[in-house]
Amino acid sequence: MPGPVFVVLDGWAIRYKILPGGSRQIISFLMPGDFCDMHVAVLTEMDHSIATLSDATIVTIPRHQMEALTEIRPALARAFWWTQLVDEGVLRATIVSMGRRTSLERVAHLLCELSFRMRNIGIATDDHCEMPFSQIVLADAVGLTPVHVNRVVGRLRRAGALEVTAGTLIVASLSRMVEIAGFDDNYLHRRLKRIGANSTGQHM
Amino acid sequence: MPGPVFVVLDGWAIRYKILPGGSRQIISFLMPGDFCDMHVAVLTEMDHSIATLSDATIVTIPRHQMEALTEIRPALARAFWWTQLVDEGVLRATIVSMGRRTSLERVAHLLCELSFRMRNIGIATDDHCEMPFSQIVLADAVGLTPVHVNRVVGRLRRAGALEVTAGTLIVASLSRMVEIAGFDDNYLHRRLKRIGANSTGQHM
DNA sequence: CGCACGGTTGAAGCGGCTCAATCTGGGTGG
DNA sequence: CCACCCAGATTGAGCCGCTTCAACCGTGCG
């Protein structure tokens, strides 16, 4: 298994793909603490790209070290395994959002997901989740036009759920955002509950 | 790790989620040979459902047996690992499709993916891939209305890429479909190349 | 100062949705 | 064997959400 594993320590990163026409689709967000196993590099060619949003510090862990670690501490192997399962859950949730939610719900849902994840790692509170990216990035993530995202963002702001400055979005009321999105943190709770439980060695 | 692993032997299945409003989004298709590890059941509650399309035969492998297998034959563990990576790649491709492709491309792209996967397991050829599901199912998979999917299907048929009968769709010309979809089988080739290579024990 | 980029807003066009009707083949009860 | 029924396919008409095009503004920066 060639290729190292990456971990985001500070700053944000995204997985994305540029289509022949030039448009970009952001597939997922990586925030501090997230593993960015370049799975894909393990296979053949990469089918998508990874980039950082503004400055970020990324740690590299050589693959052999990784394997040594998981061999010594099986609990780690399980933790990694779970991490991947959760990531898959997030991807599935994204598909559901893109397929069957209105633009308002879709934007709100994404902001909720990111807010919850930020809260979980302690870089946000219920009334202040600061997302360090532009509305353009948001647009490429939810599959809409920057122009239309801007209008949606306006609605969220007028609803008192969001605040906006150039280059960053701030979720000012998670509860309101959750309500608008019809957000069910089930699939993320899992991330918490199990990874937390697992780290104490209760399972298997 | 509770919960058995499932393998589809015959027939098709889908992962899907029903939203509060009653609409359904199909997340992925499972065809013969596909593992349907109920990952999620391993975690807490399921965040989506699985169902078969028409009759199907599913094999159940108890978890402990699975673990015994992978212990005896590490190559199997790697194969499962890869399978999961590939599945993730498919999910990512789906997200890209839903976000940035037109309805025509989107439908064609899905049909291409399924056709290639069917060809890979030997249940279809370049000019005859028979999909055992209705346009309604297709609609729920690509995030469109049955009515509109029907119009798109009409266009594909008039382009000579597709044939339609009640309850089944037949890709009559993969090459034409690929052209319409702008399909790049890269992310699936991987499935072939690597899993094939892996089974010979070349890696790691 | 001027430029570039992100945000904001308006107007017009189009793609996909909704509503609704018709058609078809297959399955059912009589 | 026939009348009936139903799900899926098909087609038309009108509506609405999102895109496109096109301004204009504010701000950070070379």
Side-chain angles (χ1 to χ4, degrees), chain A residues 17-39:
Chain A
K17 183 173 173 68
I18 304 285
L19 294 187
S23 62
R24 174 178 70 165
Q25 177 65 42
I26 292 176
I27 298 163
S28 62
F29 288 85
L30 303 169
M31 56 179 72
D34 280 344
F35 276 74
C36 169
D37 191 339
M38 316 226 55
H39 305 131

Side-chain angles (χ1 to χ4, degrees), chain A residues 1 15 17 19 23-27 37 39-40 42-48 67 81-82 84-85 88-89 91-92 94-96 98-101 139-140 143-144 186-187 190 193-194 204, chain B residues 1 15 17 19 23-27 37 39-40 42-48 67 81-82 84-85 88-89 91-92 94-96 98-101 139-140 143-144 186-187 190 193-194 204:
Chain A
M1 275 198 186
R15 288 180 192 274
K17 183 173 173 68
L19 294 187
S23 62
R24 174 178 70 165
Q25 177 65 42
I26 292 176
I27 298 163
D37 191 339
H39 305 131
V40 209
V42 175
L43 302 160
T44 52
E45 315 84 40
M46 196 87 164
D47 62 354
H48 67 280
E67 287 172 6
W81 175 250
W82 261 301
Q84 190 173 352
L85 295 191
E88 244 188 72
L91 291 183
R92 281 194 293 264
T94 301
I95 290 175
V96 172
M98 310 225 65
R100 292 298 182 206
R101 276 195 251 264
D140 282 345
L144 296 171
N186 195 307
Y187 71 106
R190 194 171 289 136
K193 279 199 260 176
R194 282 311 189 173
M204 244 185 109
Chain B
M1 277 198 184
R15 289 180 190 275
K17 182 173 174 67
L19 294 187
S23 62
R24 174 179 69 166
Q25 176 64 43
I26 293 176
I27 298 163
D37 192 338
H39 306 132
V40 211
V42 175
L43 302 161
T44 53
E45 314 84 41
M46 196 86 164
D47 63 353
H48 67 278
E67 287 172 7
W81 176 249
W82 261 300
Q84 191 172 351
L85 294 191
E88 246 188 71
L91 291 184
R92 280 194 294 264
T94 302
I95 291 175
V96 172
M98 310 226 65
R100 294 293 181 208
R101 275 193 251 264
D140 282 345
L144 295 170
N186 194 308
Y187 71 106
R190 195 170 289 134
K193 277 199 260 176
R194 283 310 189 173
M204 245 185 109

